[in-house]
Amino acid sequence: EIVMTQSPATLSVSPGERATLSCRASQSLSTNLAWYQQKPGQAPRLLIYGASTRATGIPARFSGRGSGTEFTLTISSLQSEDFAVYYCQQYNNWPPRFTFGPGTKVDIK
Amino acid sequence: QLQLQESGPGLVKPSETLSLTCTVSGGSISSSSYYWGWIRQPPGKGLEWIGSIYYTGSTYYNPSLKSRVTISVDTSKNQFSLNLSSVTAADTAVYYCAEVAGSFAYWGQGTLVTVSS
């Protein structure tokens, strides 16, 4: 099983600042990694797939980088609506064995 | 725009079977491009993939749940379903259905299922 870790667990950021979230996989994923945003009481929302491709309708301030086992999600200038929990998810296995990271909570500093 | 909606009981007794259905609208569940899946989230915790199904009926399950999970598809109703047997309090969670293309682009709103007597 591929184990996903995320750091930090909580990130305190002021509006307008940059936030950088990390995700690490226990084995190489190539670029088979996605990022999600989840707000309280809502379903997760796909932000990034293929490690760096923004999903439909996702603002350009969200960007993803990485390959192999190390990935980052950067929010270039945090807006009030960006305070949420962010999860990474791998989809490298065949047959499918999807796993999520434990999440990073981005809160207001 | 693809939409998914979960339905089923919100309360299940311990040792019984949890049964949920996901109805897909705005697209065909028989699309050859995608799988369909279930994900759950215990209160205050993270996301766990339960399993996925292709419209032909091919299924893939989380090894940790495989002995208790059955996912099926009904293409005539554009629905797929989840059965989770022998539930305990640890199965209390919000259950989501989603379209699967590696990543999960479309999600249902989720339904809370509580396991309690």
Side-chain angles (χ1 to χ4, degrees), chain A residues 26-86:
Chain A
S26 60
Q27 58 186 268
S28 179
L29 305 180
S30 182
T31 57
N32 295 314
L33 183 105
W35 289 94
Y36 300 85
Q37 176 193 69
Q38 188 179 34
K39 298 178 181 179
Q42 296 184 15
R45 174 195 183 195
L46 177 66
L47 299 175
I48 302 284
Y49 63 94
S52 62
T53 302
R54 278 189 301 276
T56 302
I58 301 303
R61 64 180 182 273
F62 291 93
S63 62
R65 295 188 63 179
S67 65
T69 62
E70 302 280 345
F71 302 87
T72 58
L73 173 70
T74 299
I75 311 170
S76 60
S77 177
L78 268 154
Q79 308 297 304
S80 57
E81 62 266 30
D82 300 335
F83 293 97
V85 179
Y86 292 83

Side-chain angles (χ1 to χ4, degrees), chain B residues 17-22 38-40 50-51 61 68-72 80-84 95-96:
Chain B
T17 297
L18 178 160
S19 297
L20 296 173
T21 295
C22 182
W38 290 95
I39 302 102
R40 70 180 183 178
I50 299 170
Y61 299 136
R68 299 194 292 129
V69 173
T70 303
I71 297 176
S72 59
F80 62 103
S81 297
L82 168 70
N83 278 355
L84 180 66
Y95 286 77
Y96 297 100

Side-chain angles (χ1 to χ4, degrees), chain A residues 32 39 86 90 92-93 99 106:
Chain A
N32 295 314
K39 298 178 181 179
Y86 292 83
Q90 68 82 15
N92 192 59
N93 309 84
T99 48
V106 178

Side-chain angles (χ1 to χ4, degrees), chain A residues 38-45, chain B residues 3-10 18-23 37-42 47-48 50 80 82 92-99 106-114:
Chain A
Q38 188 179 34
K39 298 178 181 179
Q42 296 184 15
R45 174 195 183 195
Chain B
Q3 292 186 314
L4 297 91
Q5 177 68 58
E6 305 89 352
S7 59
L18 178 160
S19 297
L20 296 173
T21 295
C22 182
T23 301
W38 290 95
I39 302 102
R40 70 180 183 178
Q41 185 171 37
L47 300 161
E48 179 180 37
I50 299 170
F80 62 103
L82 168 70
T92 293
V94 175
Y95 286 77
Y96 297 100
C97 60
E99 178 207 63
Y106 294 95
W107 297 65
Q109 65 185 21
T111 187
L112 174 63
V113 179
T114 301

Side-chain angles (χ1 to χ4, degrees), chain B residues 25-37:
Chain B
S25 58
S28 172
I29 204 167
S30 301
S31 167
S32 61
S33 302
Y34 304 113
Y35 285 73
W36 306 92

